[in-house]
Amino acid sequence: THTMVLLRTAPLLLAVSSLVGVAEAFVAPRRAPRAPAAFATAVDSVMGTEQVYEYHLLDVPTEASYQVIDMTAKLQDLVDEAGITEGAVNVMSKHTTTAVTINEYEHNLKTDLREALQKIAPPGAGYLHDNIQDRPSTPEDAARVEKNWKGTVQEWRDQEPINTHSHLYAMLLGASEVVPVTEGKLAMGTWQSLMFVELDGPRADRKLAVQVTGLRPKA
């Protein structure tokens, strides 16, 4: 008889026990989970810093039709002036016949680069872009000329250079690079340099856009 009573009441006892456990969970004070030590350290570090965004437009006059200029030291100077310890430097050419690239800055390699580009896209190889009198060739191109040029279409044609090969070189090499900054230094390899490459010079008005971003210690 006692066994039958226990069997019949067991489900009821389990249900009551579950309800009591739920009630205790709501009544008992809850402790906020502790953040990992590494996260807390990172927060403390960030709280002692301020965000930096500094934009620079550098003048980079060139002296030859093809010229490679090492900009690494200048970029490190900008990082030092900004005072950032962790961040990045974004670099972009403002032109369609110059390039920005990272590689070894060495005399023979610079010569090899020029010869390789000329093999890929020789100057004067019958490019459509070089047919100045046939341009602009579409309504879209005409609208772009009207937007960007202050003068007649013929005046625009008269000043256009025959330089399709230079445009192609620039597209092959690329127009921008991003360099990480850590512990206040450009995180570049031993033999790496960031180079500005002139592909249609000489030009006195070349520009290089640089934005330094990151964290620096608060004063």
Side-chain angles (χ1 to χ4, degrees):
T1 303
H2 291 293
T3 302
M4 292 296 293
V5 171
L6 287 173
L7 289 173
R8 291 175 181 175
T9 58
L12 178 60
L13 292 172
L14 287 173
V16 170
S17 176
S18 298
L19 289 173
V20 170
V22 171
E24 288 178 347
F26 277 100
V27 173
R30 296 185 179 184
R31 293 183 179 180
R34 295 184 63 182
F39 176 78
T41 301
V43 170
D44 290 341
S45 176
V46 171
M47 292 297 288
T49 60
E50 59 185 359
Q51 189 72 44
V52 176
Y53 295 94
E54 292 188 359
Y55 176 78
H56 305 270
L57 189 60
L58 306 181
D59 293 315
V60 190
T62 60
E63 301 173 350
S65 60
Y66 171 81
Q67 185 177 357
V68 181
I69 302 172
D70 189 351
M71 300 298 300
T72 313
K74 178 60 179 177
L75 297 179
Q76 183 61 57
D77 288 343
L78 296 179
V79 170
D80 294 341
E81 292 170 11
I84 66 170
T85 54
E86 303 295 327
V89 178
N90 300 275
V91 185
M92 188 189 78
S93 165
K94 297 283 285 184
H95 310 281
T96 59
T97 55
T98 63
V100 174
T101 190
I102 294 176
N103 214 291
E104 183 176 356
Y105 183 77
E106 191 266 339
H107 176 77
N108 288 345
L109 185 58
K110 291 186 290 181
T111 301
D112 290 338
L113 174 61
R114 181 177 190 174
E115 292 180 356
L117 291 172
Q118 289 177 338
K119 289 177 182 178
I120 294 171
Y127 304 111
L128 295 176
H129 186 74
D130 284 343
N131 296 329
I132 305 297
Q133 294 306 315
D134 292 339
R135 296 168 47 204
S137 57
T138 68
E140 182 182 6
D141 290 345
R144 186 171 290 107
V145 170
E146 183 178 357
K147 176 183 176 182
N148 296 325
W149 176 254
K150 297 178 181 179
T152 67
V153 172
Q154 189 56 51
E155 288 171 340
W156 169 78
R157 291 188 181 119
D158 292 342
Q159 58 83 45
E160 272 290 278
I162 306 297
N163 64 351
T164 300
H165 60 288
S166 300
H167 288 285
L168 297 176
Y169 300 164
M171 285 187 271
L172 288 170
L173 293 176
S176 64
E177 293 285 357
V178 179
V179 182
V181 173
T182 185
E183 297 182 350
K185 300 297 180 183
L186 297 172
M188 300 184 71
T190 302
W191 296 102
Q192 285 184 323
S193 292
L194 188 142
M195 297 169 283
F196 179 82
V197 186
E198 172 63 80
L199 299 163
D200 192 35
R203 303 286 186 95
D205 59 348
R206 293 306 203 187
K207 306 286 185 184
L208 187 65
V210 180
Q211 187 171 58
V212 180
T213 64
L215 299 174
R216 68 181 171 201
K218 289 182 179 178

mmCIF file of all heavy atoms in Angstrom, residues 9-58:
data_model
loop_
_atom_site.group_PDB
_atom_site.id
_atom_site.type_symbol
_atom_site.label_atom_id
_atom_site.label_comp_id
_atom_site.label_asym_id
_atom_site.label_seq_id
_atom_site.Cartn_x
_atom_site.Cartn_y
_atom_site.Cartn_z
ATOM 1 N N THR A 9 2.284 9.501 -5.914
ATOM 2 C CA THR A 9 2.629 10.888 -5.540
ATOM 3 C C THR A 9 3.961 11.337 -6.110
ATOM 4 O O THR A 9 4.288 12.523 -6.059
ATOM 5 C CB THR A 9 2.678 11.020 -4.012
ATOM 6 O OG1 THR A 9 3.641 10.093 -3.492
ATOM 7 C CG2 THR A 9 1.321 10.754 -3.404
ATOM 8 N N ALA A 10 4.758 10.461 -6.652
ATOM 9 C CA ALA A 10 6.095 10.830 -7.153
ATOM 10 C C ALA A 10 6.034 11.926 -8.213
ATOM 11 O O ALA A 10 6.775 12.910 -8.159
ATOM 12 C CB ALA A 10 6.807 9.582 -7.685
ATOM 13 N N PRO A 11 5.135 11.831 -9.228
ATOM 14 C CA PRO A 11 5.092 12.908 -10.238
ATOM 15 C C PRO A 11 4.768 14.262 -9.630
ATOM 16 O O PRO A 11 5.308 15.291 -10.033
ATOM 17 C CB PRO A 11 3.987 12.442 -11.190
ATOM 18 C CG PRO A 11 3.950 10.968 -11.021
ATOM 19 C CD PRO A 11 4.224 10.724 -9.562
ATOM 20 N N LEU A 12 3.842 14.250 -8.611
ATOM 21 C CA LEU A 12 3.466 15.501 -7.958
ATOM 22 C C LEU A 12 4.658 16.102 -7.224
ATOM 23 O O LEU A 12 4.915 17.312 -7.292
ATOM 24 C CB LEU A 12 2.308 15.263 -6.995
ATOM 25 C CG LEU A 12 1.828 16.495 -6.203
ATOM 26 C CD1 LEU A 12 1.357 17.583 -7.168
ATOM 27 C CD2 LEU A 12 0.719 16.102 -5.235
ATOM 28 N N LEU A 13 5.423 15.271 -6.522
ATOM 29 C CA LEU A 13 6.604 15.752 -5.787
ATOM 30 C C LEU A 13 7.648 16.330 -6.740
ATOM 31 O O LEU A 13 8.286 17.351 -6.467
ATOM 32 C CB LEU A 13 7.211 14.602 -4.974
ATOM 33 C CG LEU A 13 6.373 14.096 -3.798
ATOM 34 C CD1 LEU A 13 7.002 12.847 -3.205
ATOM 35 C CD2 LEU A 13 6.218 15.180 -2.735
ATOM 36 N N LEU A 14 7.850 15.692 -7.894
ATOM 37 C CA LEU A 14 8.824 16.189 -8.882
ATOM 38 C C LEU A 14 8.401 17.548 -9.420
ATOM 39 O O LEU A 14 9.209 18.449 -9.601
ATOM 40 C CB LEU A 14 8.953 15.180 -10.028
ATOM 41 C CG LEU A 14 9.699 13.893 -9.696
ATOM 42 C CD1 LEU A 14 9.617 12.914 -10.863
ATOM 43 C CD2 LEU A 14 11.166 14.188 -9.374
ATOM 44 N N ALA A 15 7.081 17.696 -9.651
ATOM 45 C CA ALA A 15 6.583 18.973 -10.182
ATOM 46 C C ALA A 15 6.794 20.082 -9.177
ATOM 47 O O ALA A 15 7.221 21.192 -9.517
ATOM 48 C CB ALA A 15 5.101 18.836 -10.535
ATOM 49 N N VAL A 16 6.488 19.797 -7.865
ATOM 50 C CA VAL A 16 6.668 20.810 -6.822
ATOM 51 C C VAL A 16 8.136 21.185 -6.698
ATOM 52 O O VAL A 16 8.503 22.354 -6.562
ATOM 53 C CB VAL A 16 6.115 20.280 -5.480
ATOM 54 C CG1 VAL A 16 6.511 21.215 -4.338
ATOM 55 C CG2 VAL A 16 4.613 20.113 -5.553
ATOM 56 N N SER A 17 9.017 20.176 -6.749
ATOM 57 C CA SER A 17 10.455 20.444 -6.644
ATOM 58 C C SER A 17 10.931 21.342 -7.781
ATOM 59 O O SER A 17 11.726 22.250 -7.578
ATOM 60 C CB SER A 17 11.214 19.110 -6.664
ATOM 61 O OG SER A 17 12.602 19.338 -6.656
ATOM 62 N N SER A 18 10.417 21.114 -8.995
ATOM 63 C CA SER A 18 10.807 21.947 -10.145
ATOM 64 C C SER A 18 10.356 23.375 -9.959
ATOM 65 O O SER A 18 11.083 24.331 -10.246
ATOM 66 C CB SER A 18 10.215 21.370 -11.433
ATOM 67 O OG SER A 18 10.723 20.079 -11.666
ATOM 68 N N LEU A 19 9.118 23.571 -9.467
ATOM 69 C CA LEU A 19 8.607 24.923 -9.249
ATOM 70 C C LEU A 19 9.425 25.663 -8.213
ATOM 71 O O LEU A 19 9.714 26.847 -8.327
ATOM 72 C CB LEU A 19 7.137 24.854 -8.825
ATOM 73 C CG LEU A 19 6.149 24.446 -9.921
ATOM 74 C CD1 LEU A 19 4.757 24.251 -9.326
ATOM 75 C CD2 LEU A 19 6.112 25.510 -11.021
ATOM 76 N N VAL A 20 9.835 24.955 -7.144
ATOM 77 C CA VAL A 20 10.655 25.582 -6.105
ATOM 78 C C VAL A 20 11.988 26.015 -6.683
ATOM 79 O O VAL A 20 12.503 27.097 -6.409
ATOM 80 C CB VAL A 20 10.857 24.606 -4.930
ATOM 81 C CG1 VAL A 20 11.907 25.153 -3.953
ATOM 82 C CG2 VAL A 20 9.543 24.354 -4.210
ATOM 83 N N GLY A 21 12.578 25.181 -7.536
ATOM 84 C CA GLY A 21 13.864 25.538 -8.149
ATOM 85 C C GLY A 21 13.761 26.766 -9.024
ATOM 86 O O GLY A 21 14.611 27.647 -9.009
ATOM 87 N N VAL A 22 12.680 26.873 -9.820
ATOM 88 C CA VAL A 22 12.466 28.041 -10.667
ATOM 89 C C VAL A 22 12.302 29.293 -9.820
ATOM 90 O O VAL A 22 12.856 30.354 -10.112
ATOM 91 C CB VAL A 22 11.238 27.831 -11.578
ATOM 92 C CG1 VAL A 22 10.892 29.135 -12.287
ATOM 93 C CG2 VAL A 22 11.507 26.718 -12.575
ATOM 94 N N ALA A 23 11.517 29.188 -8.705
ATOM 95 C CA ALA A 23 11.296 30.341 -7.831
ATOM 96 C C ALA A 23 12.605 30.812 -7.224
ATOM 97 O O ALA A 23 12.891 32.006 -7.144
ATOM 98 C CB ALA A 23 10.300 29.972 -6.735
ATOM 99 N N GLU A 24 13.457 29.886 -6.779
ATOM 100 C CA GLU A 24 14.738 30.266 -6.190
ATOM 101 C C GLU A 24 15.626 30.970 -7.204
ATOM 102 O O GLU A 24 16.373 31.892 -6.881
ATOM 103 C CB GLU A 24 15.437 29.017 -5.648
ATOM 104 C CG GLU A 24 14.790 28.447 -4.392
ATOM 105 C CD GLU A 24 15.497 27.184 -3.928
ATOM 106 O OE1 GLU A 24 16.303 26.636 -4.719
ATOM 107 O OE2 GLU A 24 15.246 26.756 -2.786
ATOM 108 N N ALA A 25 15.540 30.542 -8.438
ATOM 109 C CA ALA A 25 16.365 31.159 -9.488
ATOM 110 C C ALA A 25 15.986 32.609 -9.686
ATOM 111 O O ALA A 25 16.833 33.469 -9.948
ATOM 112 C CB ALA A 25 16.208 30.382 -10.799
ATOM 113 N N PHE A 26 14.665 32.908 -9.595
ATOM 114 C CA PHE A 26 14.226 34.296 -9.771
ATOM 115 C C PHE A 26 14.520 35.153 -8.536
ATOM 116 O O PHE A 26 14.846 36.327 -8.635
ATOM 117 C CB PHE A 26 12.723 34.329 -10.069
ATOM 118 C CG PHE A 26 12.416 34.087 -11.508
ATOM 119 C CD1 PHE A 26 11.994 32.842 -11.943
ATOM 120 C CD2 PHE A 26 12.578 35.107 -12.451
ATOM 121 C CE1 PHE A 26 11.729 32.613 -13.282
ATOM 122 C CE2 PHE A 26 12.305 34.876 -13.787
ATOM 123 C CZ PHE A 26 11.887 33.628 -14.207
ATOM 124 N N VAL A 27 14.392 34.552 -7.341
ATOM 125 C CA VAL A 27 14.558 35.310 -6.099
ATOM 126 C C VAL A 27 16.025 35.549 -5.782
ATOM 127 O O VAL A 27 16.422 36.608 -5.322
ATOM 128 C CB VAL A 27 13.861 34.587 -4.924
ATOM 129 C CG1 VAL A 27 14.170 35.293 -3.602
ATOM 130 C CG2 VAL A 27 12.363 34.539 -5.165
ATOM 131 N N ALA A 28 16.869 34.554 -6.033
ATOM 132 C CA ALA A 28 18.283 34.659 -5.663
ATOM 133 C C ALA A 28 18.947 35.787 -6.450
ATOM 134 O O ALA A 28 18.669 35.979 -7.635
ATOM 135 C CB ALA A 28 18.985 33.332 -5.950
ATOM 136 N N PRO A 29 19.813 36.552 -5.806
ATOM 137 C CA PRO A 29 20.516 37.633 -6.523
ATOM 138 C C PRO A 29 21.420 37.066 -7.609
ATOM 139 O O PRO A 29 22.071 36.047 -7.411
ATOM 140 C CB PRO A 29 21.333 38.306 -5.405
ATOM 141 C CG PRO A 29 21.483 37.258 -4.348
ATOM 142 C CD PRO A 29 20.225 36.442 -4.413
ATOM 143 N N ARG A 30 21.422 37.742 -8.755
ATOM 144 C CA ARG A 30 22.226 37.281 -9.877
ATOM 145 C C ARG A 30 23.537 38.051 -9.941
ATOM 146 O O ARG A 30 23.558 39.269 -9.779
ATOM 147 C CB ARG A 30 21.464 37.469 -11.188
ATOM 148 C CG ARG A 30 20.212 36.626 -11.281
ATOM 149 C CD ARG A 30 19.580 36.772 -12.637
ATOM 150 N NE ARG A 30 18.394 35.953 -12.758
ATOM 151 C CZ ARG A 30 17.685 35.844 -13.880
ATOM 152 N NH1 ARG A 30 18.034 36.534 -14.950
ATOM 153 N NH2 ARG A 30 16.618 35.065 -13.926
ATOM 154 N N ARG A 31 24.604 37.349 -10.224
ATOM 155 C CA ARG A 31 25.912 37.981 -10.368
ATOM 156 C C ARG A 31 26.217 38.179 -11.851
ATOM 157 O O ARG A 31 26.024 37.265 -12.652
ATOM 158 C CB ARG A 31 26.993 37.106 -9.738
ATOM 159 C CG ARG A 31 26.875 37.003 -8.214
ATOM 160 C CD ARG A 31 28.025 36.178 -7.671
ATOM 161 N NE ARG A 31 27.967 36.065 -6.225
ATOM 162 C CZ ARG A 31 28.863 35.380 -5.506
ATOM 163 N NH1 ARG A 31 29.857 34.751 -6.119
ATOM 164 N NH2 ARG A 31 28.751 35.330 -4.188
ATOM 165 N N ALA A 32 26.664 39.363 -12.176
ATOM 166 C CA ALA A 32 27.040 39.626 -13.573
ATOM 167 C C ALA A 32 28.262 38.785 -13.919
ATOM 168 O O ALA A 32 29.170 38.626 -13.100
ATOM 169 C CB ALA A 32 27.365 41.111 -13.754
ATOM 170 N N PRO A 33 28.279 38.215 -15.114
ATOM 171 C CA PRO A 33 29.447 37.412 -15.507
ATOM 172 C C PRO A 33 30.694 38.283 -15.568
ATOM 173 O O PRO A 33 30.658 39.426 -16.020
ATOM 174 C CB PRO A 33 29.060 36.893 -16.902
ATOM 175 C CG PRO A 33 28.016 37.841 -17.385
ATOM 176 C CD PRO A 33 27.276 38.292 -16.153
ATOM 177 N N ARG A 34 31.797 37.746 -15.111
ATOM 178 C CA ARG A 34 33.047 38.499 -15.098
ATOM 179 C C ARG A 34 33.687 38.474 -16.482
ATOM 180 O O ARG A 34 33.757 37.433 -17.132
ATOM 181 C CB ARG A 34 34.011 37.904 -14.073
ATOM 182 C CG ARG A 34 33.510 38.021 -12.630
ATOM 183 C CD ARG A 34 34.543 37.516 -11.665
ATOM 184 N NE ARG A 34 35.749 38.327 -11.728
ATOM 185 C CZ ARG A 34 36.853 38.075 -11.007
ATOM 186 N NH1 ARG A 34 36.878 37.049 -10.188
ATOM 187 N NH2 ARG A 34 37.901 38.860 -11.117
ATOM 188 N N ALA A 35 34.138 39.644 -16.924
ATOM 189 C CA ALA A 35 34.806 39.720 -18.223
ATOM 190 C C ALA A 35 36.173 39.057 -18.129
ATOM 191 O O ALA A 35 36.824 39.116 -17.090
ATOM 192 C CB ALA A 35 34.974 41.182 -18.639
ATOM 193 N N PRO A 36 36.604 38.410 -19.200
ATOM 194 C CA PRO A 36 37.948 37.824 -19.200
ATOM 195 C C PRO A 36 38.994 38.895 -18.929
ATOM 196 O O PRO A 36 38.831 40.058 -19.301
ATOM 197 C CB PRO A 36 38.079 37.264 -20.626
ATOM 198 C CG PRO A 36 36.684 37.097 -21.109
ATOM 199 C CD PRO A 36 35.886 38.167 -20.443
ATOM 200 N N ALA A 37 40.094 38.492 -18.309
ATOM 201 C CA ALA A 37 41.144 39.448 -17.945
ATOM 202 C C ALA A 37 41.706 40.168 -19.168
ATOM 203 O O ALA A 37 41.975 41.374 -19.134
ATOM 204 C CB ALA A 37 42.252 38.718 -17.201
ATOM 205 N N ALA A 38 41.865 39.424 -20.283
ATOM 206 C CA ALA A 38 42.423 40.047 -21.494
ATOM 207 C C ALA A 38 41.510 41.136 -22.014
ATOM 208 O O ALA A 38 41.959 42.196 -22.461
ATOM 209 C CB ALA A 38 42.648 38.980 -22.569
ATOM 210 N N PHE A 39 40.166 40.882 -21.951
ATOM 211 C CA PHE A 39 39.215 41.890 -22.413
ATOM 212 C C PHE A 39 39.275 43.128 -21.531
ATOM 213 O O PHE A 39 39.263 44.261 -22.011
ATOM 214 C CB PHE A 39 37.806 41.310 -22.412
ATOM 215 C CG PHE A 39 36.739 42.296 -22.793
ATOM 216 C CD1 PHE A 39 36.529 42.628 -24.120
ATOM 217 C CD2 PHE A 39 35.953 42.909 -21.831
ATOM 218 C CE1 PHE A 39 35.560 43.539 -24.477
ATOM 219 C CE2 PHE A 39 34.978 43.822 -22.177
ATOM 220 C CZ PHE A 39 34.784 44.138 -23.504
ATOM 221 N N ALA A 40 39.337 42.917 -20.220
ATOM 222 C CA ALA A 40 39.405 44.051 -19.292
ATOM 223 C C ALA A 40 40.654 44.884 -19.538
ATOM 224 O O ALA A 40 40.627 46.117 -19.519
ATOM 225 C CB ALA A 40 39.379 43.538 -17.854
ATOM 226 N N THR A 41 41.764 44.201 -19.802
ATOM 227 C CA THR A 41 43.016 44.915 -20.091
ATOM 228 C C THR A 41 42.890 45.730 -21.364
ATOM 229 O O THR A 41 43.349 46.870 -21.448
ATOM 230 C CB THR A 41 44.167 43.904 -20.225
ATOM 231 O OG1 THR A 41 44.282 43.171 -19.018
ATOM 232 C CG2 THR A 41 45.491 44.631 -20.503
ATOM 233 N N ALA A 42 42.243 45.142 -22.393
ATOM 234 C CA ALA A 42 42.068 45.856 -23.658
ATOM 235 C C ALA A 42 41.208 47.100 -23.475
ATOM 236 O O ALA A 42 41.494 48.158 -24.035
ATOM 237 C CB ALA A 42 41.440 44.924 -24.696
ATOM 238 N N VAL A 43 40.143 46.978 -22.668
ATOM 239 C CA VAL A 43 39.269 48.130 -22.414
ATOM 240 C C VAL A 43 40.045 49.234 -21.707
ATOM 241 O O VAL A 43 39.964 50.408 -22.057
ATOM 242 C CB VAL A 43 38.042 47.715 -21.588
ATOM 243 C CG1 VAL A 43 37.272 48.943 -21.110
ATOM 244 C CG2 VAL A 43 37.133 46.819 -22.410
ATOM 245 N N ASP A 44 40.817 48.854 -20.672
ATOM 246 C CA ASP A 44 41.622 49.838 -19.947
ATOM 247 C C ASP A 44 42.589 50.539 -20.889
ATOM 248 O O ASP A 44 42.817 51.746 -20.807
ATOM 249 C CB ASP A 44 42.401 49.156 -18.822
ATOM 250 C CG ASP A 44 41.483 48.676 -17.693
ATOM 251 O OD1 ASP A 44 40.343 49.184 -17.620
ATOM 252 O OD2 ASP A 44 41.909 47.814 -16.918
ATOM 253 N N SER A 45 43.164 49.759 -21.836
ATOM 254 C CA SER A 45 44.117 50.335 -22.778
ATOM 255 C C SER A 45 43.443 51.332 -23.698
ATOM 256 O O SER A 45 43.948 52.426 -23.947
ATOM 257 C CB SER A 45 44.774 49.215 -23.595
ATOM 258 O OG SER A 45 45.626 49.751 -24.585
ATOM 259 N N VAL A 46 42.268 50.958 -24.230
ATOM 260 C CA VAL A 46 41.562 51.837 -25.152
ATOM 261 C C VAL A 46 41.079 53.100 -24.447
ATOM 262 O O VAL A 46 41.102 54.202 -25.009
ATOM 263 C CB VAL A 46 40.375 51.094 -25.804
ATOM 264 C CG1 VAL A 46 39.511 52.054 -26.601
ATOM 265 C CG2 VAL A 46 40.884 49.971 -26.687
ATOM 266 N N MET A 47 40.625 52.967 -23.213
ATOM 267 C CA MET A 47 40.129 54.130 -22.481
ATOM 268 C C MET A 47 41.207 55.182 -22.287
ATOM 269 O O MET A 47 40.918 56.357 -22.103
ATOM 270 C CB MET A 47 39.586 53.687 -21.112
ATOM 271 C CG MET A 47 38.317 52.848 -21.197
ATOM 272 S SD MET A 47 36.927 53.757 -21.924
ATOM 273 C CE MET A 47 36.543 54.879 -20.582
ATOM 274 N N GLY A 48 42.465 54.765 -22.351
ATOM 275 C CA GLY A 48 43.565 55.715 -22.197
ATOM 276 C C GLY A 48 44.065 56.266 -23.507
ATOM 277 O O GLY A 48 45.137 56.877 -23.564
ATOM 278 N N THR A 49 43.294 56.050 -24.585
ATOM 279 C CA THR A 49 43.703 56.520 -25.907
ATOM 280 C C THR A 49 42.589 57.332 -26.552
ATOM 281 O O THR A 49 41.470 57.387 -26.059
ATOM 282 C CB THR A 49 44.048 55.329 -26.823
ATOM 283 O OG1 THR A 49 42.881 54.496 -26.969
ATOM 284 C CG2 THR A 49 45.187 54.504 -26.255
ATOM 285 N N GLU A 50 42.925 57.951 -27.667
ATOM 286 C CA GLU A 50 41.931 58.677 -28.450
ATOM 287 C C GLU A 50 42.092 58.320 -29.918
ATOM 288 O O GLU A 50 43.192 58.004 -30.376
ATOM 289 C CB GLU A 50 42.080 60.187 -28.250
ATOM 290 C CG GLU A 50 43.447 60.747 -28.628
ATOM 291 C CD GLU A 50 43.576 62.223 -28.288
ATOM 292 O OE1 GLU A 50 42.603 62.788 -27.789
ATOM 293 O OE2 GLU A 50 44.655 62.794 -28.530
ATOM 294 N N GLN A 51 40.971 58.363 -30.643
ATOM 295 C CA GLN A 51 40.975 58.013 -32.062
ATOM 296 C C GLN A 51 41.534 59.162 -32.888
ATOM 297 O O GLN A 51 41.220 60.331 -32.636
ATOM 298 C CB GLN A 51 39.561 57.679 -32.523
ATOM 299 C CG GLN A 51 39.472 57.090 -33.928
ATOM 300 C CD GLN A 51 39.993 55.665 -34.001
ATOM 301 O OE1 GLN A 51 39.688 54.846 -33.146
ATOM 302 N NE2 GLN A 51 40.797 55.373 -35.009
ATOM 303 N N VAL A 52 42.336 58.820 -33.891
ATOM 304 C CA VAL A 52 42.971 59.820 -34.756
ATOM 305 C C VAL A 52 42.587 59.559 -36.204
ATOM 306 O O VAL A 52 42.632 58.415 -36.672
ATOM 307 C CB VAL A 52 44.507 59.773 -34.616
ATOM 308 C CG1 VAL A 52 45.163 60.742 -35.594
ATOM 309 C CG2 VAL A 52 44.924 60.100 -33.192
ATOM 310 N N TYR A 53 42.183 60.613 -36.902
ATOM 311 C CA TYR A 53 41.979 60.578 -38.356
ATOM 312 C C TYR A 53 42.662 61.817 -38.932
ATOM 313 O O TYR A 53 42.175 62.931 -38.745
ATOM 314 C CB TYR A 53 40.488 60.605 -38.717
ATOM 315 C CG TYR A 53 39.700 59.405 -38.262
ATOM 316 C CD1 TYR A 53 39.027 59.425 -37.036
ATOM 317 C CD2 TYR A 53 39.626 58.257 -39.047
ATOM 318 C CE1 TYR A 53 38.301 58.331 -36.611
ATOM 319 C CE2 TYR A 53 38.889 57.153 -38.625
ATOM 320 C CZ TYR A 53 38.227 57.198 -37.405
ATOM 321 O OH TYR A 53 37.505 56.113 -36.990
ATOM 322 N N GLU A 54 43.772 61.635 -39.609
ATOM 323 C CA GLU A 54 44.498 62.768 -40.173
ATOM 324 C C GLU A 54 44.701 62.546 -41.673
ATOM 325 O O GLU A 54 45.259 61.526 -42.091
ATOM 326 C CB GLU A 54 45.848 62.955 -39.480
ATOM 327 C CG GLU A 54 45.730 63.394 -38.025
ATOM 328 C CD GLU A 54 47.073 63.759 -37.411
ATOM 329 O OE1 GLU A 54 48.107 63.644 -38.122
ATOM 330 O OE2 GLU A 54 47.098 64.163 -36.234
ATOM 331 N N TYR A 55 44.253 63.517 -42.457
ATOM 332 C CA TYR A 55 44.359 63.427 -43.918
ATOM 333 C C TYR A 55 45.446 64.376 -44.416
ATOM 334 O O TYR A 55 45.516 65.532 -43.982
ATOM 335 C CB TYR A 55 43.023 63.776 -44.565
ATOM 336 C CG TYR A 55 43.054 63.795 -46.076
ATOM 337 C CD1 TYR A 55 43.025 62.602 -46.799
ATOM 338 C CD2 TYR A 55 43.134 64.999 -46.778
ATOM 339 C CE1 TYR A 55 43.057 62.613 -48.190
ATOM 340 C CE2 TYR A 55 43.164 65.012 -48.162
ATOM 341 C CZ TYR A 55 43.122 63.824 -48.867
ATOM 342 O OH TYR A 55 43.169 63.836 -50.232
ATOM 343 N N HIS A 56 46.270 63.868 -45.327
ATOM 344 C CA HIS A 56 47.338 64.676 -45.909
ATOM 345 C C HIS A 56 47.303 64.526 -47.431
ATOM 346 O O HIS A 56 47.084 63.429 -47.948
ATOM 347 C CB HIS A 56 48.712 64.215 -45.406
ATOM 348 C CG HIS A 56 48.843 64.197 -43.916
ATOM 349 N ND1 HIS A 56 49.276 65.283 -43.200
ATOM 350 C CD2 HIS A 56 48.578 63.208 -43.006
ATOM 351 C CE1 HIS A 56 49.301 64.971 -41.910
ATOM 352 N NE2 HIS A 56 48.871 63.728 -41.762
ATOM 353 N N LEU A 57 47.531 65.621 -48.124
ATOM 354 C CA LEU A 57 47.668 65.597 -49.581
ATOM 355 C C LEU A 57 49.095 66.022 -49.904
ATOM 356 O O LEU A 57 49.446 67.197 -49.801
ATOM 357 C CB LEU A 57 46.651 66.531 -50.239
ATOM 358 C CG LEU A 57 46.537 66.428 -51.766
ATOM 359 C CD1 LEU A 57 46.126 65.008 -52.178
ATOM 360 C CD2 LEU A 57 45.531 67.439 -52.300
ATOM 361 N N LEU A 58 49.920 65.047 -50.259
ATOM 362 C CA LEU A 58 51.343 65.289 -50.448
ATOM 363 C C LEU A 58 51.654 65.688 -51.890
ATOM 364 O O LEU A 58 51.109 65.107 -52.837
ATOM 365 C CB LEU A 58 52.139 64.031 -50.093
ATOM 366 C CG LEU A 58 51.913 63.428 -48.708
ATOM 367 C CD1 LEU A 58 52.813 62.207 -48.518
ATOM 368 C CD2 LEU A 58 52.157 64.452 -47.616
#
